[in-house]
Amino acid sequence: MSHLDLTGCKKRKRGERVFRFKSFGEKGYPVEFLGPFRKNVKALLEFGHLESDLCPRMPSWSFQLEVHRHPPVHVLLFIIEESIDISVNRHCKQCQFVGWGQHLICNKKYHFVLPSKDTMVEACMNYKEGNDHVVADSGNFGKSKILVESRGHIMHGVFHSNGFGHLLCVNGLENGSDLAGHHIIDFWDRLCNGLRVRKVSLNDTSRKKGMELRLIHGIAYGEPWFGRWGYKFGRGTFCVTQQMYQRALEALSGMPLTLLIHNFLYPPNNQDLSLIFSKYQALSDHSLTTLGDLFHFMLELKSRLPKDTSNMESCNPGILVETTCRWSPKRVEMATRVIVEFLKRAQFRWVSRQEVRDAARNYIGDTGLLDFVLKSLGNQIVGNYLVRRSLNPVTKVLEYCLEDVSNHVFINNNSNHEGNNLVVNGSRMRAMYKITRFQLMKDVFYLYKCVLKENVKMNSGVLSAISVAVRIVLDSKYLVKEYSPEIPAKFEMSSSRSHCSIDSSGKFICATRDCGSGMVECKGAGAIPPTTLVEFTLAATNSGQDFYDVSLVGGFNLPVSMTPGEGSSSSFGRCNSTSCPAEFQRGCPKELAVKLVGDGECRCLQKCMFGVWSATILLHR
C-alpha cells in the first residue's frame, strides 16, 4: 500500500482521515453539496489535508481514498487551486477547442488529480532538481505546478469557477493503473454531480489494444464509450457537424455483412471474414445481418466470457489443464468428479472454497492436486453442469456452485455474485467457452484493421464510403455532458394579474397583465402591459454575485416586494429587501393611465410604449 506524500516524498502521517473511493462524491459524502459549484468546492476542501509545502502560490489539498480494504489499495486525490494571476495562459485552450471561447475569464480554476506512482515520483524529482537552480519560493518549480503539468496521471480534470470543466486524461489498467477505466469515470461522474458543475468537455482519444474506442463503440452502440455516462457530440473538427456524425455512424452500423463478403478486394481476406461471420452467427440467438450487429454481439460476448486467456488445452471434457501439468489427466478428472459430486449434494447453493476443499480431502489426499483443480474449475463445464466461481462481495471469500445447463436457456441478471451470468444450453455453451477473450479480441482487431482501417483499398463505390464515414467519426472527438441546465444570466417574472373575470362569450380576461389566451393558462403567451416586473441577474460577475430588483420598464399594475430568505448574509454584504409598494394613481400622467372598469382605478404604462423614449417612469412615493 503506497502512501506517498509530495511534501517530502515520505509516508503520510497516521491518523489522517481515509475516504471510500466508491462512495466519494455521493450525496452527503463527505459533505452535503447544497450551493453552486464555487461554494460546493470550498465546502469539500474543508475536509482535505492542506499540503502547505507544495507551492505557496498554488494551494493544494489531498484526500486519501480507499479502493480496497483487503488487500489494502489506496489512491490520493489532489485538488489544486490555480489563480488566473499565475497562469501562463489566461485563455483556456480546452474552452476554445470545444466552442466555449466566448466565456468570461474566471479568476480561479481547480485541478482534480489522481496521480500515478510515476507522476508523483516525477514531481518530487523535478522539484529537487529545480531547487538546485531556482529560489524555492519563486513558484516556478513548485510541486503543485509540476503536478498540474505532468502527463500520465490516473485522472486529471479541471473546473473553472463558473462551473464549466474539462476531463483532460484517464489512464486505466492498460497504462499500469490499479483502477479500471470505467471505475475512474464513475468516480469523476460522482464528483461532477456532487459539486453541481454545469458542463464538462473531453477530448476522446481512448484506445483499446490499438483500436479507437469511439469508432468501435460508435458502430456497436451508436455512441462513444463515454456515452455510457451521458457524454455526447460536442464539436467536430474539419467542419464536421452533429448531423454528419450521426449519419456516418448509421452508415457504418447498417453496412450489410453480405456486401462486405462479396465486395472485399482480396480473396484471402474474403475467406477470413466469412469464417468470422459464420463463427459468431452460430453463437448468436439472433440474426447478425449488419456490421453493427456483429460488433455489438462480439463486445457483449466479451463481457460474459471468463477472464482466463492463458495458453491452455483441454485434456478432458470439463476442465482446462496446462500441457505441462504434472498430474495425469486421469487424476485431474477424478478430483474434478469428486468436487462436482459434492457441489451436487449442496443443492446448487454457493459453498466456500474451504468447505469444498475439506470435503474433497476425504477422497483425494493430494492437497496440491485439489488446489490446482479448484483454481482451474472456475466457470468451466463438466458434463451438464457449469461450475461457477465468484468472490463473495460481503465475506471476500471464494465460493463455488453448480448450474444445470442441460435444459435451460436464459440470462441470469439477478445473481448477487459477480462473474459470468451467461447460461445457455448444450453445444452452444461449449462452443462459446472454447472461444477465449484473447481469441475474440483478435477477431475484433482483424475486423477493425481490414474493414475500417484498410478499406481504402476497396474500389467499389459503395464500400469506398466506409473510409469517409470512418474519418468523420474519428474527427468527432470533442464530447460534452451537461450536468446542470445552464441558467440564463438574466430572466424576468411578471407580477400577478388583477381584476379578472369571464366575459359574455366565456373567455377569461383580466384588466392588467392579460395574456390574450382567453383561458386561465397563458400557454407561453406574454403579458400585455402595464405589468410590474421582477428581475433576477445570476452570476453576473466573476465573483459570482447575484442581483435582483423590481422594474417598472413595463409599467405598473400591482405593488411588489422582494425579501431574501435563508443565506441572505454573504461576504459581499447583507442582501436587503426591495419593493415598489406605492399607489400610482395620483402621479400617473393622463396619457399613460389605464382606467379599470367599475371602480375608477387606473394603472400606469411606460412612456416608450407611446413612441416617447424613456427608460422607466420614476414616480415618487
Side-chain angles (χ1 to χ4, degrees):
M1 176 176 62
S2 176
H3 296 293
L4 292 175
D5 186 354
L6 291 183
T7 59
C9 298
K10 299 179 182 179
K11 289 189 176 181
R12 304 179 68 84
K13 296 180 179 179
R14 293 185 178 181
E16 183 180 341
R17 183 173 178 182
V18 179
F19 300 91
R20 297 187 303 275
F21 176 83
K22 294 183 179 179
S23 303
F24 195 84
E26 291 182 350
K27 185 177 181 181
Y29 189 80
V31 64
E32 287 286 349
F33 300 110
L34 300 176
F37 169 78
R38 61 183 181 273
K39 293 183 179 179
N40 290 335
V41 72
K42 290 180 180 179
L44 176 62
L45 294 179
E46 293 180 1
F47 289 81
H49 173 71
L50 179 62
E51 304 284 353
S52 56
D53 297 332
L54 282 184
C55 178
R57 300 183 65 187
M58 292 180 66
S60 174
W61 294 261
S62 65
F63 296 80
Q64 191 171 177
L65 308 178
E66 179 186 71
V67 181
H68 300 295
R69 182 168 296 180
H70 302 291
V73 177
H74 290 192
V75 294
L76 289 176
L77 169 67
F78 285 91
I79 303 179
I80 303 170
E81 181 182 279
E82 182 181 2
S83 175
I84 191 65
D85 298 332
I86 63 174
S87 296
V88 178
N89 296 314
R90 295 197 172 191
H91 296 277
C92 176
K93 292 182 179 180
Q94 285 74 28
C95 284
Q96 294 174 349
F97 292 154
V98 79
W100 300 342
Q102 77 281 4
H103 290 183
L104 296 176
I105 298 175
C106 297
N107 56 356
K108 291 180 182 178
K109 54 185 176 182
Y110 298 89
H111 296 267
F112 285 67
V113 178
L114 290 178
S116 63
K117 294 178 182 179
D118 293 338
T119 55
M120 293 179 75
V121 172
E122 177 188 355
C124 290
M125 297 299 295
N126 289 343
Y127 177 73
K128 290 178 180 179
E129 294 176 3
N131 270 344
D132 295 337
H133 304 88
V134 185
V135 180
D137 63 355
S138 65
N140 294 331
F141 286 87
K143 296 178 188 177
S144 294
K145 190 71 173 178
I146 297 173
L147 196 63
V148 165
E149 295 176 351
S150 297
R151 299 294 181 264
H153 295 303
I154 297 174
M155 186 202 78
H156 183 188
V158 61
F159 296 108
H160 300 287
S161 57
N162 62 358
F164 286 79
H166 315 280
L167 180 58
L168 303 181
C169 76
V170 173
N171 291 303
L173 296 174
E174 288 195 355
N175 293 309
S177 169
D178 294 330
L179 296 170
H182 64 276
H183 289 150
I184 301 173
I185 302 299
D186 286 341
F187 173 75
W188 170 259
D189 200 51
R190 289 196 303 272
L191 282 177
C192 293
N193 280 308
L195 293 172
R196 295 188 179 182
V197 303
R198 295 164 71 177
K199 287 184 180 181
V200 173
S201 75
L202 61 88
N203 183 359
D204 185 4
T205 57
S206 55
R207 286 172 168 262
K208 185 78 170 180
K209 307 295 183 183
M211 298 180 289
E212 300 281 355
L213 278 184
R214 65 182 181 278
L215 181 58
I216 298 296
H217 274 259
I219 296 174
Y221 300 102
E223 61 182 11
W225 182 73
F226 290 97
R228 296 159 56 184
W229 292 272
Y231 286 87
K232 300 179 181 179
F233 177 92
R235 188 179 187 183
T237 55
F238 303 104
C239 301
V240 172
T241 64
Q242 184 173 5
Q243 186 178 13
M244 294 169 61
Y245 170 72
Q246 291 296 337
R247 288 184 176 179
L249 283 183
E250 292 171 1
L252 291 172
S253 179
M255 182 66 62
L257 296 180
T258 54
L259 191 64
L260 293 176
I261 295 174
H262 293 294
N263 291 274
F264 214 78
L265 183 60
Y266 299 101
N269 292 339
N270 184 300
Q271 185 177 4
D272 292 338
L273 283 179
S274 299
L275 291 175
I276 291 176
F277 295 163
S278 59
K279 180 198 304 185
Y280 292 99
Q281 180 62 78
L283 298 176
S284 175
D285 292 325
H286 306 285
S287 178
L288 304 179
T289 59
T290 65
L291 191 62
D293 294 337
L294 180 60
F295 272 115
H296 184 273
F297 176 74
M298 294 174 77
L299 294 183
E300 289 295 312
L301 177 60
K302 171 182 172 289
S303 65
R304 296 183 175 112
L305 287 177
K307 296 184 179 180
D308 187 3
T309 59
S310 59
N311 186 19
M312 295 183 173
E313 295 181 0
S314 177
C315 70
N316 65 67
I319 185 171
L320 297 177
V321 185
E322 296 179 4
T323 55
T324 58
C325 177
R326 63 188 180 96
W327 292 282
S328 65
K330 187 175 181 179
R331 293 190 64 191
V332 172
E333 184 177 356
M334 178 63 69
T336 302
R337 288 179 179 176
V338 170
I339 293 174
V340 171
E341 288 299 322
F342 171 74
L343 293 175
K344 286 182 182 178
R345 293 195 298 270
Q347 298 180 348
F348 302 100
R349 63 181 178 87
W350 287 91
V351 183
S352 69
R353 180 186 182 279
Q354 188 61 45
E355 189 176 350
V356 175
R357 189 175 185 271
D358 292 342
R361 281 199 65 185
N362 295 327
Y363 304 92
I364 306 295
D366 190 341
T367 56
L369 173 60
L370 287 177
D371 292 337
F372 171 77
V373 173
L374 287 172
K375 179 181 178 181
S376 304
L377 262 182
N379 296 320
Q380 299 296 333
I381 295 176
V382 180
N384 292 325
Y385 299 97
L386 172 64
V387 182
R388 300 185 64 186
R389 181 181 64 186
S390 178
L391 184 69
N392 189 305
V394 178
T395 63
K396 308 299 182 183
V397 173
L398 275 177
E399 295 182 348
Y400 293 81
C401 79
L402 286 185
E403 286 200 36
D404 188 350
V405 296
S406 59
N407 298 313
H408 295 81
V409 182
F410 63 93
I411 299 293
N412 181 11
N413 291 322
N414 299 320
S415 173
N416 293 326
H417 291 72
E418 298 178 358
N420 190 339
N421 290 330
L422 181 66
V423 182
V424 298
N425 72 335
S427 60
R428 181 165 293 170
M429 169 64 86
R430 292 185 177 88
M432 191 169 294
Y433 272 84
K434 288 180 182 178
I435 298 178
T436 65
R437 280 190 168 216
F438 176 78
Q439 293 170 335
L440 188 144
M441 289 306 299
K442 188 176 179 180
D443 291 338
V444 172
F445 182 77
Y446 182 84
L447 288 175
Y448 175 83
K449 178 183 177 182
C450 294
V451 177
L452 302 178
K453 298 299 289 185
E454 296 183 356
N455 52 73
V456 292
K457 299 178 181 178
M458 298 179 182
N459 54 12
S460 172
V462 176
L463 295 181
S464 62
I466 294 179
S467 59
V468 178
V470 168
R471 190 70 264 164
I472 290 175
V473 174
L474 294 181
D475 287 338
S476 306
K477 57 185 179 180
Y478 293 108
L479 309 179
V480 173
K481 178 177 179 179
E482 183 173 352
Y483 283 88
S484 301
E486 190 169 352
I487 302 175
K490 184 173 182 177
F491 61 92
E492 300 174 349
M493 182 174 63
S494 301
S495 60
S496 301
R497 288 172 283 185
S498 64
H499 297 79
C500 299
S501 61
I502 299 177
D503 63 8
S504 57
S505 62
K507 292 184 178 181
F508 182 83
I509 59 173
C510 298
T512 65
R513 201 193 171 279
D514 190 80
C515 57
S517 65
M519 296 180 292
V520 177
E521 299 83 6
C522 287
K523 296 185 177 181
I528 301 174
T531 176
T532 310
L533 295 179
V534 175
E535 296 180 321
F536 300 89
T537 306
L538 306 180
T541 64
N542 286 340
S543 60
Q545 284 182 278
D546 302 327
F547 299 91
Y548 54 92
D549 64 89
V550 178
S551 172
L552 302 183
V553 69
F556 175 89
N557 72 321
L558 287 175
V560 174
S561 176
M562 297 176 63
T563 303
E566 296 181 3
S568 57
S569 297
S570 68
S571 58
F572 306 110
R574 183 172 181 82
C575 298
N576 299 316
S577 61
T578 182
S579 64
C580 283
E583 295 289 344
F584 288 91
Q585 293 95 323
R586 298 178 182 178
C588 183
K590 294 181 179 179
E591 65 273 15
L592 302 181
V594 176
K595 296 290 184 179
L596 302 183
V597 180
D599 56 5
E601 294 184 9
C602 71
R603 295 296 180 260
C604 214
L605 290 169
Q606 203 256 15
K607 282 187 178 181
C608 63
M609 297 174 185
F610 287 85
V612 180
W613 183 88
S614 176
T616 306
I617 300 176
L618 299 178
L619 300 177
H620 300 283
R621 296 186 177 92

